[in-house]
Amino acid sequence: LDGEGPLMILRDILKLASSALGAQSTRIRVISENIANSDSVYSDGKTPYRRKVTTFEAVFDRKAAIENVRVRQINRDLSDPVRRYEPSHPRADAAGYVQYPNVQPLIEMADLRDAERSYRANVQVVETAKRLFRNALDIMRA
């Protein structure tokens, strides 16, 4: 353990879990935005909303000597929009097609479930670390 006490290790675990919680929270927000805009015809008056995808990266914290998780970037999915034949729609082109976002609600819901599970797992890590921290303090007091 390189001379680190158990309290220092628990602190590092809390830092790692809290960074993962923040990253998953951002992912959940982005997925929710995708779902909310899944039927938006236009985001800027000309093109449909584009699905957003969150990517993570591990970042080494020199001070704590551990790796943390953070959002690397939020990218737009550049796949083609969904075209639907709706000639009576006010946004239909000359051929009668309307462009809708490249968001598939079923995929978004699966991603949301995965993000929620990861978030809950990290909450459990925080709760367990806090319980261990309290137990270590109780032992030190005795």
Side-chain angles (χ1 to χ4, degrees), residues 6-135:
L7 296 181
M8 297 294 275
I9 293 169
L10 289 174
R11 182 204 65 197
D12 294 346
I13 290 170
L14 284 171
K15 281 186 175 185
L16 175 59
S18 66
S19 71
L21 281 169
Q24 289 300 336
S25 179
T26 299
R27 181 178 176 207
I28 290 168
R29 181 187 53 78
V30 169
I31 292 168
S32 298
E33 184 179 320
N34 288 342
I35 293 169
N37 286 291
S38 64
D39 285 327
S40 312
V41 178
Y42 292 103
S43 62
D44 61 5
K46 297 178 184 176
T47 58
Y49 174 85
R50 294 246 182 219
R51 176 179 188 255
K52 294 179 182 176
V53 180
T54 308
T55 55
F56 302 124
E57 69 181 344
V59 179
F60 187 73
D61 180 347
R62 291 179 191 266
K63 185 176 178 183
I66 62 168
E67 284 194 343
N68 288 319
V69 179
R70 76 171 180 199
V71 174
R72 180 172 181 226
Q73 58 190 149
I74 299 171
N75 293 322
R76 294 196 186 277
D77 179 343
L78 299 179
S79 63
D80 292 334
V82 176
R83 291 184 51 180
R84 293 185 195 150
Y85 184 69
E86 298 178 7
S88 62
H89 194 286
R91 299 287 188 176
D93 62 16
Y97 287 92
V98 179
Q99 292 187 2
Y100 284 91
N102 57 351
V103 175
Q104 296 179 27
L106 187 61
I107 300 293
E108 298 304 320
M109 293 305 293
D111 286 350
L112 185 60
R113 273 186 83 139
D114 182 58
E116 180 187 19
R117 285 182 181 148
S118 295
Y119 189 90
R120 284 185 186 183
N122 283 294
V123 167
Q124 287 295 323
V125 168
V126 168
E127 289 175 1
T128 301
K130 283 174 28 181
R131 190 172 57 251
L132 290 171
F133 187 77
R134 280 193 298 269
N135 291 345

